[in-house]
Amino acid sequence: ARKCELQGLWRNQLGSNMTLSALDATGGFTGSYHTAVAATNKQILVSPLKGVQQHPSAKGQVTFGFTVQWQFADSITVFVGQCFVDHRGKETLETTWLLREEVPSRKDSWKATRIGTNVFTRLK
Ligand code: B9F
């Protein structure tokens, strides 16, 4: 089986697109995230991301994490995930995200974090 490369253009089941750069010497990468959904009246802006890939495993189905710094909201989303390649060479990123919303006070903290899963496939 081929190993999974994070670099490139990806789309998730919501229709959000992201572009990931090549890895640097330490496994770090950057990218940009264009969310298809936002649950806000604000205009969506393409937002930067920074991540790290874990050292490639023998099987090549690498783990990674990245953070998206939204440019249109005082919130932040972190993703963790793993890249899988099937026997046909199709790559899938299986991810789980946490979104922290800015809330005005500690009494609102209980409702400030959302969680979900996103599955990304490569755009040809
Ligand atoms: O909608 C988020 C937001 C934060 C404060 C006002 C708007 C920013 C964009 C998040 C996009 C999420 C989804 N897109 C995607 O591809 S990140 C995880 C999902 N995967 C209102 C208050 C908090 C959220 C909505 Fe807001």
Side-chain angles (χ1 to χ4, degrees):
R2 282 189 321 121
K3 56 174 192 172
C4 217
E5 302 269 357
L6 291 183
Q7 183 180 1
L9 178 58
W10 298 88
R11 177 172 292 167
N12 69 20
Q13 82 276 16
L14 301 169
S16 299
N17 292 334
M18 67 174 178
T19 304
L20 302 181
S21 72
L23 297 185
D24 69 20
T26 63
F29 59 88
T30 58
S32 59
Y33 202 103
H34 190 173
T35 183
V37 295
T40 171
N41 294 327
K42 290 181 200 156
Q43 191 194 340
I44 291 171
L45 298 175
V46 175
S47 298
L49 68 85
K50 282 188 184 180
V52 288
Q53 180 187 304
Q54 191 46 289
H55 303 104
S57 67
K59 290 175 180 155
Q61 322 260 48
V62 297
T63 59
F64 59 87
F66 63 85
T67 301
V68 184
Q69 182 189 29
W70 301 110
Q71 298 296 289
F72 56 93
D74 297 324
S75 63
I76 196 156
T77 301
V78 295
F79 289 80
V80 290
Q82 189 170 355
C83 189
F84 293 99
V85 195
D86 73 13
H87 59 286
R88 291 186 171 129
K90 187 187 179 190
E91 295 156 300
T92 305
L93 306 181
E94 291 282 342
T95 70
T96 301
W97 53 263
L98 291 170
L99 188 165
R100 178 69 189 204
E101 177 185 0
E102 188 197 45
V103 290
S105 69
R106 284 181 68 198
K107 68 175 169 28
D108 298 313
S109 192
W110 65 272
K111 62 176 179 181
T113 305
R114 291 163 165 79
I115 187 171
T117 57
N118 278 170
V119 180
F120 293 85
T121 52
R122 191 182 288 281
L123 282 183
K124 285 285 128 56

